[in-house]
């Protein structure tokens, strides 16, 4: 899927659960894009990229780590509590995985 669709769907899922708050919108938008960070492994080789993609960022266990990383990054910019940011980011990451499936 394209990045715009991922962000739009991730934001929509987050809004379905929580009211609009700018820091949560940032967590939802970054969370919806974050699983594709594995693209940095493409220059290292297609097999390395696929391992990072399938076992790492695009797995259920990997999605927790990705969502936590997004929450920490957003926390650094907004000073919001990490747990609500993590929950919204996890929903957005899960929406990314659902769209890719």
């Amino acid at each position: 899927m394209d990045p715009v669709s991922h962000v739009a769907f991730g934001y929509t899922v987050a809004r379905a659960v929580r009211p609009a708050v700018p820091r949560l919108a940032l967590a939802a938008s970054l969370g919806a894009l974050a699983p594709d960070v594995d693209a940095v492994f493409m220059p290292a080789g297609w097999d390395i990229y696929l391992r990072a993609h399938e076992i790492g960022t695009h797995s259920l266990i990997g999605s927790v780590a990705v969502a936590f990383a997004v929450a920490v990054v957003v926390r650094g910019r907004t000073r919001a509590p990490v747990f609500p940011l993590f929950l919204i980011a996890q929903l957005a990451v899960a929406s990314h995985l659902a769209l890719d499936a």
Side-chain angles (χ1 to χ4, degrees):
M1 274 237 128
D2 67 293
V4 174
S5 298
H6 280 303
V7 170
F9 191 65
Y11 180 76
T12 301
V13 168
R15 280 295 307 272
V17 176
R18 295 271 199 150
V21 177
R23 62 181 177 251
L24 296 180
L26 179 61
S29 299
L30 288 178
L33 290 175
D36 284 338
V37 73
D38 56 12
V40 300
F41 292 110
M42 281 183 185
W46 192 248
D47 58 331
I48 294 171
Y49 162 73
L50 286 179
R51 270 187 249 134
H53 185 80
E54 293 173 354
I55 299 170
T57 61
H58 283 71
S59 68
L60 291 178
I61 292 172
S63 72
V64 174
V66 169
F68 184 73
V70 167
V72 168
V73 167
V74 173
R75 164 81 166 84
R77 301 229 349 115
T78 64
R79 303 285 186 229
V82 172
F83 190 67
L85 296 173
F86 169 74
L87 292 177
I88 292 298
Q90 182 61 42
L91 281 172
V93 170
S95 76
H96 181 107
L97 301 181
L99 284 177
D100 280 0

